[in-house]
Amino acid sequence: MNPEFPRDLVFTAALFGVAAFVWAGWAQESPPRSIWWRVLLGALSLAGVALAALTIPTLIANWGSPSALRPGTGAFITYIVVFWVEFVLAGVLAFFAIRAGLSDLVAPLILAIVGVHFFALAPVLGQPVLFIPAVLLTLIAVGAAVLPASDVAHSFWCGVVGAPVFLAIGAWCGVVGTNALNST
């Protein structure tokens, strides 16, 4: 992990907290029937909210700190391009999946796009740690997509396995980023 831009690490932590909340919520679409799965998903959602709530004040207080994404730089332009390509691709693939009667594959498609986009953003942000969620989230998405159809939605697998990835990497980024900001 590169502590050169600690504000970016804290931003990643906050964003990953929100992502964990969203994916654990999407997993509630059709989890296994046991109440314990819903309790686990609720706990993952709350952990995501907690991570975001703990890191957002630090992020706001240090917004003026250096960032790898300075407007006008190649990194910033690449970030914007990757974001919009990801956004449009997710919308187009979701549209075609739904039109083809494969709406249950929308979650794995979007998680795969999220995973793949970290391969591009890791070097842009100068954070090799982002290769970890890139690999893990992409593999989770593929695994969720190829699981046989059952009473459990593919989104369940994306969320129940993906949310902990966001939480673990986000917490790690939050600790390293906050410690680096506090030591300056």
Side-chain angles (χ1 to χ4, degrees):
M1 190 170 311
N2 180 3
E4 180 182 357
F5 298 112
R7 185 195 86 178
D8 292 349
L9 290 172
V10 175
F11 184 88
T12 299
L15 185 63
F16 278 24
V18 172
F21 172 78
V22 168
W23 282 101
W26 198 348
Q28 294 274 4
E29 176 183 10
S30 184
R33 295 191 188 278
S34 171
I35 188 71
W36 296 111
W37 287 110
R38 291 199 187 270
V39 170
L40 174 62
L41 293 171
L44 289 170
S45 289
L46 288 175
V49 169
L51 179 58
L54 289 170
T55 53
I56 288 173
T58 303
L59 177 61
I60 291 169
N62 292 282
W63 193 254
S65 298
S67 171
L69 298 178
R70 290 180 312 280
T73 64
F76 185 78
I77 293 166
T78 302
Y79 176 82
I80 296 299
V81 168
V82 168
F83 169 81
W84 281 108
V85 167
E86 171 191 26
F87 184 78
V88 170
L89 187 60
V92 168
L93 289 177
F95 173 80
F96 284 114
I98 292 166
R99 294 235 350 161
L102 301 170
S103 61
D104 197 38
L105 292 179
V106 170
L109 283 170
I110 291 176
L111 188 62
I113 292 167
V114 169
V116 169
H117 102 286
F118 285 124
F119 284 109
L121 292 185
V124 168
L125 295 172
Q127 292 299 338
V129 70
L130 293 178
F131 285 117
I132 298 170
V135 169
L136 294 176
L137 295 173
T138 303
L139 290 173
I140 291 164
V142 170
V146 300
L147 284 172
S150 70
D151 291 340
V152 177
H154 294 288
S155 61
F156 167 75
W157 297 112
C158 291
V160 79
V161 184
V165 170
F166 282 115
L167 288 170
I169 302 297
W172 186 17
C173 289
V175 167
V176 172
T178 299
N179 286 342
L181 286 169
N182 288 338
S183 68
T184 57

